[in-house]
Structures are given as structure tokens and as C-alpha cells.
Amino acid sequence: MVLVSVSCEKSNDIEENPNIITRVQDGKGKVFLENGTFVDANLNYTQEQLVNALNSYEWEREYSFYYDNNWISDKKEIDCLPTKIHTNGIIEDAYVTPDDIWTFSISGKKITANLKVNVWSSAGPTSKTFTVISLDMSNNSGRIVMDEKINNDVEGFNTSSLYARMVWKAIIP
């Protein structure tokens, strides 16, 4: 009986306080990827290294997935996320048109993308912020792991702590 009441208390604590994190977390040179798989990663990069990587290489999103404070999904195709980052300071998404271009700036580990607003397009977000979690570069490859806070409802996830994580690969010339 004692075990039952203890496990119920813990469950109630999580429901009452959605800020309790019960999933795996990044740290100690590791980031989590889909389904909570850990991989080695460089979490201690500088803004200068990030700027250099974004200015030197084209980047293509390999895959994405959702996570909140309790769950990490498997790979998901998430349409509202960017698909390419170009060396000319432009971010491309699945819906890009010549009149709808995202330009970006970098501050620390944050990338802020701003939509060059097309007055003829439908209303939507005009600014997005991405947090670069890790930056890994080697002679023949590069990987960026970055997050975006998602404010939409996604079945099975708590919207207040919902993020999309994107895994990017460098296009090495």
C-alpha cells in the first residue's frame, strides 16, 4: 500500500508541476536525439565558431522530432520548421517563395530568423528564435542540433514545455 501511494504522489506532482523534467537531458558532452538516444556533442562552442560554421557551409535539416519535459518522440517530419540554412544569411523552409525570405542574426547560442514580410502573403509568425544546443565540426562533416519552442498542440505532448529538435548536416563543398 505504501508503494501505491508513493507512486501516485509522484504522478500527481508531475501533473501539478509540468516544470518537473523526467526525460533525459543534455549535458556532460552529450545531447539527446530521437527516442532519448545520447550522442557525443560539443556543447561548449563559441558564438564565433557558430558564425564561422554558418558562413562557411550550407546546412540541410536531416530530421526533427518533438520533446517536452516528459517524452521524446521518434523522428517526425515537422512541416513548420526550416529545411536549409544558406551562407548568405537566409533560412529556407518548405513554404519559401521569392517574396517570403527568412534572414537571420546570431547572438550567443541563439539564432533569430526574421521574415522579410510580403504584404501579399497570409499572416503568420514574422520572427522565430532557435537555440543551438551543439555544434560539431570536423574535416569532412558537421552537425548542428538546435531547438525551437513550439506553441501548437501536438497529441501526446504538453504544449507548455513542447519543443522541436532539429538535427542539421553541413554540406561540405
Side-chain angles (χ1 to χ4, degrees):
M1 226 133 133
V2 171
L3 290 175
V4 171
S5 68
V6 169
S7 64
C8 288
E9 264 183 54
K10 184 175 182 183
S11 176
N12 288 340
D13 286 347
I14 291 170
E15 288 173 13
E16 290 173 16
N17 187 354
N19 296 323
I20 295 173
I21 299 174
T22 59
R23 62 161 167 76
V24 297
Q25 297 182 58
D26 303 317
K28 297 182 181 176
K30 303 253 185 218
V31 295
F32 67 85
L33 297 181
E34 74 279 3
N35 298 315
T37 304
F38 275 117
V39 296
D40 292 333
N42 176 19
L43 304 169
N44 297 315
Y45 63 90
T46 66
Q47 178 176 321
E48 180 181 358
Q49 290 170 316
L50 179 59
V51 168
N52 185 49
L54 293 175
N55 288 334
S56 300
Y57 302 99
E58 297 284 308
W59 292 86
E60 186 173 89
R61 181 168 46 101
E62 280 191 284
Y63 65 92
S64 51
F65 58 92
Y66 291 113
Y67 74 90
D68 66 11
N69 285 348
N70 300 306
W71 307 106
I72 303 168
S73 75
D74 56 358
K75 293 177 183 178
K76 302 282 183 198
E77 185 53 45
I78 305 173
D79 292 335
C80 64
L81 299 177
T83 56
K84 293 181 181 175
I85 302 173
H86 299 286
T87 56
N88 63 359
I90 292 175
I91 294 179
E92 190 176 318
D93 63 32
Y95 306 106
V96 74
T97 69
D99 295 324
D100 295 330
I101 297 172
W102 294 89
T103 59
F104 67 87
S105 61
I106 302 164
S107 178
K109 296 187 176 196
K110 303 274 186 195
I111 297 173
T112 301
N114 292 298
L115 181 63
K116 285 182 139 184
V117 179
N118 171 6
V119 296
W120 304 109
S121 68
S122 61
T126 58
S127 181
K128 293 182 172 195
T129 301
F130 307 101
T131 303
V132 177
I133 306 302
S134 68
L135 171 64
D136 297 285
M137 300 299 301
S138 67
N139 291 337
N140 296 317
S141 67
R143 179 186 67 205
I144 290 176
V145 176
M146 74 180 184
D147 292 350
E148 180 183 5
K149 175 72 177 97
I150 303 295
N151 296 311
N152 301 334
D153 290 331
V154 175
E155 185 176 341
F157 290 92
N158 181 330
T159 305
S160 68
S161 64
L162 178 61
Y163 286 83
R165 179 159 283 190
M166 296 163 271
V167 178
W168 297 80
K169 67 177 177 179
I171 307 301
I172 308 291

